[in-house]
Amino acid sequence: MANKGPSFGLSRDVQAKIEKKYDDELEERLVEWVVAQCGTDVGRPDRGRLGFQVWLKNGIVLGKLINSLHPSGSKPVKIPDPPPTMVFKQMEQIAQFLKAAEDYGVVKTDVFQTVDLFEAKDMAAVQRTLVALGSIAVTKDDGNYRGDPSWFMKKAQENKRDFSSSQLKEGKNVIGLQMGSNQGASQAGMTGYGRPRQIIS
């Protein structure tokens, strides 16, 4: 990882737009959830984007979070002790979390890239991933979610319907209202529209 200097011009504008998407209120809610889910031993970050990034950067908190959503026998992420200090080990820890999150049910488009967190390129994407993870945990409702269920939206679930053949046959006789209705239709009271076209030679 090379140290990046300040960006100028278009790259600075793009970075500024990305940073505007970061939500401080959402950060507070996510911190509350992570602490409720993992226990107080994960600590709390300093307020703000940078504090949140430093808190999650080595991947240990994220690993503990995804492990706490699984039953005690199956922990998808190994938590090294002591926490890794080498850059590639920390990035590997984040990558393990991302893989486990996808396996848990987070859609690939909701998953952030390792550099989004490690180099603080897009912390809003990190927030989106954690929100998606929380939503899936609330939706699964398997007893492993700890915290207030109202913090995340429940995902829509399949509602499959089985109709008997007689019900399907009855449905063919119904004229849907999208197709209009023929009840009470008549041309009574209709008049011609305007004058006919005048052709003058």
Side-chain angles (χ1 to χ4, degrees):
M1 298 284 140
N3 284 336
K4 272 189 74 191
S7 52
F8 296 96
L10 183 62
S11 14
R12 182 169 56 189
D13 293 344
V14 169
Q15 191 60 38
K17 271 187 179 175
I18 289 171
E19 286 173 10
K20 270 187 195 167
K21 291 180 182 176
Y22 186 80
D23 186 346
D24 291 314
E25 288 177 22
L26 179 59
E27 176 202 310
E28 282 179 35
R29 193 172 69 200
L30 289 171
V31 169
E32 288 300 321
W33 174 52
V34 172
V35 171
Q37 187 71 38
C38 302
T40 51
D41 62 319
V42 293
R44 282 181 178 274
D46 296 332
R47 288 179 65 104
R49 201 169 59 84
L50 189 64
F52 192 59
Q53 185 249 348
V54 169
W55 188 49
L56 300 176
K57 187 177 177 179
N58 67 4
I60 297 297
V61 173
L62 293 174
K64 286 181 178 179
L65 175 64
I66 196 74
N67 283 349
S68 69
L69 293 170
H70 287 78
S72 56
S74 62
K75 302 290 182 199
V77 177
K78 282 186 182 165
I79 308 291
D81 192 31
T85 52
M86 294 167 67
V87 170
F88 77 93
K89 284 287 188 189
Q90 291 178 344
M91 290 181 87
E92 197 175 88
Q93 198 68 29
I94 295 169
Q96 280 184 35
F97 163 78
L98 296 175
K99 168 88 174 71
E102 269 187 63
D103 294 343
Y104 191 70
V106 177
V107 186
K108 203 173 187 77
T109 52
D110 285 340
V111 174
F112 65 88
Q113 300 293 310
T114 306
V115 290
D116 291 340
L117 170 58
F118 200 80
E119 296 178 3
K121 286 207 182 287
D122 189 358
M123 289 304 292
V126 176
Q127 286 185 323
R128 282 193 303 273
T129 302
L130 293 177
V131 166
L133 185 65
S135 295
I136 288 166
V138 167
T139 306
K140 280 189 174 184
D141 196 22
D142 55 5
N144 292 319
Y145 175 83
R146 292 187 282 281
D148 188 347
S150 68
W151 284 340
F152 302 104
M153 278 197 281
K154 228 176 182 180
K155 295 230 180 239
Q157 291 174 302
E158 187 179 50
N159 185 4
K160 213 168 189 175
R161 293 171 174 87
D162 290 321
F163 294 109
S164 66
S165 56
S166 62
Q167 287 174 314
L168 291 171
K169 213 179 252 180
E170 261 181 57
K172 289 179 183 174
N173 301 331
V174 176
I175 297 175
L177 289 177
Q178 277 184 319
M179 297 175 215
S181 170
N182 62 353
Q183 292 179 349
S186 79
Q187 289 186 333
M190 289 191 65
T191 57
Y193 294 106
R195 296 176 59 195
R197 184 170 166 213
Q198 304 293 314
I199 300 174
I200 302 168
S201 58

